[in-house]
Amino acid sequence: MDDIINQATGCHASVHFHHRGHVLARYSSRHGHLTRRLFQLYAGLALYGASSALLVRSGLGLEPWNVLHQGLSERTGLSMGVVLTLLGAAVLLLWIPLRQRPGLGTVSNVLVIGAAMDAALALIPDAHAMAVRVPLMAAGIVLNGAATGLYIAARFGPGPRDGLMTGLNRRTGVSVRLVRTAIEITVVVTGFLLGGTVGAGTLLYAVTIGPLAQLFLRAFAVPSTSGGSTVVAGGRPRRAILRP
């Protein structure tokens, strides 16, 4: 009888410890998963700000929204990072009538990218020789694509300008492609008229950022906690391009 009781007790203890070990393993996996996502979020945002600073220093053209940010900076005397932050907060207010819900990534986007850009601009000197400006432009575009992949793959919510685009699409029924095109033409023209830089870098950014973002989205995809892989973007990332 004692042997039976001991065997039953031992079996129960074995099951108990096995279950406990399974729970701890799942907790550890989820904790590591969240840590990686948070790292990707903030690394992506910081890298995005730094990549934009490289494009500014190249003087060969900026991303569409940063053309506007630079133009407003020239007119107001505020730094580009501060303008980016203030305009991002203003765009976020437009989410209210569009019934968009911000995530951690949305709020962090507003707070981190502008600060990272100003910090990078303080460290990176002006470039005058074309042999320096062209590599700065190329590096800025490639790093911008990497930043987009890091940030979007973290899955903490879209940037405020992307949310504006998708919100308008949902509320008006106009295609994302058309809404995005209309918004970006508007900000580029307005920014240019205010003194922002439009050039070869602007055009090159427009034609390469999609493929670059697609590449880095796949490279930085975070596996799901269930053990499967997460498909972050299977087609062209029309909805997933990060806007500062």
Side-chain angles (χ1 to χ4, degrees), residues 30-123:
R30 289 181 179 178
H31 180 73
H33 183 262
L34 178 60
T35 299
R36 173 178 169 176
R37 289 175 62 208
L38 287 170
F39 174 80
Q40 286 196 194
L41 169 66
Y42 291 106
L45 294 175
L47 184 59
Y48 198 101
S51 67
S52 294
L54 291 176
L55 289 170
V56 171
R57 291 300 186 226
S58 77
L60 296 174
L62 302 175
E63 318 98 292
W65 277 95
N66 274 333
V67 175
L68 178 60
H69 298 149
Q70 188 181 51
L72 289 171
S73 176
E74 293 288 336
R75 297 290 181 171
T76 63
L78 299 173
S79 71
M80 278 190 69
V82 171
V83 170
L84 188 154
T85 300
L86 293 176
L87 191 57
V91 171
L92 196 54
L93 291 177
L94 296 177
W95 282 34
I96 297 174
L98 296 175
R99 298 180 181 178
Q100 292 280 88
R101 293 184 179 181
L104 175 64
T106 310
V107 178
S108 298
N109 184 297
V110 174
L111 298 176
V112 175
I113 293 181
M117 179 189 286
D118 277 348
L121 286 172
L123 295 174

Side-chain angles (χ1 to χ4, degrees), residues 178-218:
L178 184 57
V179 170
R180 176 182 165 187
T181 300
I183 290 175
E184 294 197 350
I185 289 176
T186 301
V187 298
V188 167
V189 171
T190 304
F192 177 72
L193 293 175
L194 291 173
T197 304
V198 176
T202 308
L203 179 60
L204 187 60
Y205 180 90
V207 300
T208 61
I209 192 61
L212 283 171
Q214 183 68 46
L215 172 66
F216 287 110
L217 280 165
R218 289 173 176 170

